[in-house]
């Protein structure tokens, strides 16, 4: 089912194109492309002086205003490091801050249970990751309802089947029928069972993070997961300027195991930040740097991801908006800051406000993914399924996003020149008034020369009508159904599968059915 490992990885690590690299893109069926190595330049939206101005103001925020760390152990660590601590307010000297931030490696390897799915994060490397956290789904009948474990299983299967997705995420949708105290066990089990790509951890309590690491230890080996990244976990700063106890607990669990965290303020710009794009970036940068620095108090040298989730707020209603020009501009600024600090960084790709997989969703998604690619993002999250500001994961949206990611993968891989001489020879072979359809060059390259999506329709109006006049949303649903019908489970070793079931059973016996 998988393309040979040498064909899938070696050419792409050398360059973005190449004959073997293109062969990998057209091999079918394929469950994962290698790490995307960007071969296009990053776009600098402002001069270096503007980046320095934001950097300086962020340092002043942490020195003069400070950041809340609402946890006794965190406060003790900051005091021991020499920060200015008053109750839960921590003011961090710039020298201490930057010394800690400099300990984070600029790149790291994220291991998958199938080594062919292992990826690199940081530098010129980018990976695409599906959405996370939706309580609702827009299902295969295009109805909006609460998510279930069956839906989560399906989305993990789709993530496994999608060539350009490099991770299965974890809580793509919430399995709402499972009690909250036990839900995390089934989320992680689904990610590990239905896909062999890297996955994401649970951060809603220390115990749930520890359960995640225990399950990872069964699959990868306890010794391996003490030092080698196998998952990424998301921790959000509560903007403005608060790291709470729940997030700090999760940081400690994962950082001590050398598992990378995304240190990402959750900013509703205009509500939890000032109503200014550059002002919001200065604040979010300060919050993210404080989180990154704290992880290095836990385990110096542990891999981490500088992050941000920044959406603007509709100033008429207070609703978050996706796909705005300001959100794209802020992405470029965060990318420039990440490169200044030599940090791997996360942003979001296809997060939209639209309720349906419609034209609005397409416009919003394109605005943000274009910025994510050109800004040089390394961990491009929310790249499949996102609707309704993250409240809903749509089957049709998931399938159509995955197809578009193949195009973005090719776009960011750069323009290949390896067949340029043969193309010029074909012109001489055909001459004036001929056609190229029968040339040797065309026969060798027609499958890989151009992006050829299957969901988008380029037929004549008459042909489109004869085939049912299906809109894009309908074709996306059909694609999702077909992908699920073709799914073949990447089986876990029998002993590992039993070990996971046993752990889940033992933990469920101890956990309550409801949150007290």
């Amino acid at each position: 089912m998988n393309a040979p490992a040498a064909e899938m990885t070696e050419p792409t690590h050398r360059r973005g194109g190449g004959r073997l690299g293109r062969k990998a893109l057209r091999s079918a069926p394929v469950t994962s492309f290698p790490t995307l190595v960007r071969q296009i330049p990053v776009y600098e939206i402002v001069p270096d002086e503007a980046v320095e101005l934001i950097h300086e103001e962020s340092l002043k925020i942490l020195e003069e205003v400070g950041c809340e760390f609402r946890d006794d152990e965190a406060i003790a660590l900051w005091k021991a490091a020499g920060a200015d601590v008053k109750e839960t307010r921590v003011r961090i000297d710039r020298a201490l801050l930057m010394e800690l931030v400099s300990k984070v490696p600029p790149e790291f390897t994220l291991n998958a249970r199938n080594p062919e799915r292992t990826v690199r994060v940081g530098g010129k490397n980018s990976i695409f990751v599906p959405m996370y956290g939706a309580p609702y789904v827009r299902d295969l009948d295009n109805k909006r309802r609460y998510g279930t474990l069956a839906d989560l299983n399906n989305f993990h299967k789709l993530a496994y089947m999608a060539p350009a997705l490099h991770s299965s995420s974890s809580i793509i949708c919430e399995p709402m029928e499972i009690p909250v105290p036990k839900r995390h066990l089934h989320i992680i089990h689904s990610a590990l069972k239905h896909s062999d790509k890297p996955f994401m951890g649970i951060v809603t309590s220390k115990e749930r993070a520890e359960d995640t690491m225990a399950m990872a230890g069964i699959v990868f080996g306890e010794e391996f997961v003490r030092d080698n990244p196998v998952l990424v976990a998301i921790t959000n700063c509560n903007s403005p300027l608060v790291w709470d106890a729940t997030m700090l607990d999760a940081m400690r669990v994962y950082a001590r195991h050398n598992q990378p965290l995304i240190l990402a303020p959750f900013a509703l710009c205009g509500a939890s930040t000032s109503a200014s794009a550059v002002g919001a970036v200065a604040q979010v940068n300060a919050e993210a740097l404080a989180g990154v620095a704290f992880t290095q108090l836990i385990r110096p040298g542990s891999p981490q991801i500088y992050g941000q989730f920044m959406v603007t707020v509709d100033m008429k209603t207070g609703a978050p908006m996706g796909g705005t020009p300001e959100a794209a501009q802020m992405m470029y600024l965060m990318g420039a800051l990440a490169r200044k600090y030599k940090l791997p960084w996360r942003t979001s790709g296809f997060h939209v406000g639209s309720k349906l997989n419609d034209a609005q969703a397409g416009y919003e998604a394109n605005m943000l993914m274009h910025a994510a690619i050109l800004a040089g993002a390394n961990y491009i999250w929310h790249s499949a399924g996102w609707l309704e500001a993250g409240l809903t994961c749509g089957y049709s949206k998931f399938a159509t996003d995955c197809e578009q990611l193949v195009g973005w993968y090719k776009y960011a891989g750069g323009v290949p020149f390896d067949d340029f001489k043969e193309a010029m020879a074909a012109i001489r072979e055909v001459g004036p008034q001929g056609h190229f359809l029968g040339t040797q060059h065309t026969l060798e390259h027609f499958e890989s020369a151009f992006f050829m999506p299957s969901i988008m329709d380029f037929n004549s109006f008459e042909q489109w009508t004869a085939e049912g006049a299906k809109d894009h949303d309908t074709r996306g649903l059909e694609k999702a159904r077909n992908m699920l019908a073709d799914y073949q489970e990447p089986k876990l070793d029998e002993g590992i599968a039993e070990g996971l079931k046993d752990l889940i059973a033992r933990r469920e016996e101890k956990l309550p059915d409801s949150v007290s």
Side-chain angles (χ1 to χ4, degrees), residues 160-176:
Y160 170 70
M161 293 287 287
L165 283 176
H166 298 96
S167 166
S168 299
S169 188
S170 62
I171 320 170
I172 296 177
C173 72
E174 293 272 5
M176 299 293 282

Side-chain angles (χ1 to χ4, degrees), residues 213-222 495-500 503 506:
M213 289 310 308
M215 295 175 78
I218 291 171
V219 173
F220 291 89
E222 290 183 7
I496 290 173
E498 288 302 315
L500 289 171
L503 184 147
R506 285 187 286 107

Side-chain angles (χ1 to χ4, degrees), residues 323-341:
T324 62
E326 294 82 9
Q329 290 169 339
M330 291 186 288
M331 236 184 252
Y332 287 114
L333 295 175
M334 295 299 288
L337 289 161
R339 286 187 291 278
K340 174 181 175 60
Y341 307 133

Side-chain angles (χ1 to χ4, degrees), residues 26 44 58 64 67 105 117 181 258-260 270 319 341 347 376 388 399 440 444 477 493:
R26 70 175 184 262
E44 303 287 357
S58 297
E64 299 170 7
C67 187
R117 314 282 182 256
N258 213 45
Q259 303 302 312
Y341 307 133
T347 193
E388 199 182 337
Q440 187 63 32
E444 289 181 356
L477 288 171
D493 174 86

Side-chain angles (χ1 to χ4, degrees), residues 43-46 269 277 281 308-312 321-336 345 347-349 351 363-377:
Y43 181 71
E44 303 287 357
I45 199 169
V46 296
C269 301
V281 170
Q308 52 89 16
F309 183 86
M310 303 174 75
V311 295
T312 54
M321 298 188 292
T324 62
E326 294 82 9
Q329 290 169 339
M330 291 186 288
M331 236 184 252
Y332 287 114
L333 295 175
M334 295 299 288
W345 74 285
T347 193
S348 300
H351 70 89
Y363 288 135
E364 291 181 283
N366 183 69
M367 173 73 77
L368 296 181
M369 184 59 79
H370 217 135
I373 293 293
L374 292 184

Side-chain angles (χ1 to χ4, degrees), residues 7 15 43 61 79 102 124 135 160 181-182 187 270 310 320 341 392-393 397 407 442 445 458 495 508 513:
E7 289 186 1
R15 53 170 298 166
Y43 181 71
I61 290 170
K79 284 182 178 177
S102 71
K124 294 181 71 174
Y160 170 70
K182 302 176 181 181
I187 291 167
M310 303 174 75
Y341 307 133
T392 298
C393 184
K397 181 69 158 44
T442 298
H445 294 86
F458 302 101
E508 284 199 313
D513 285 330

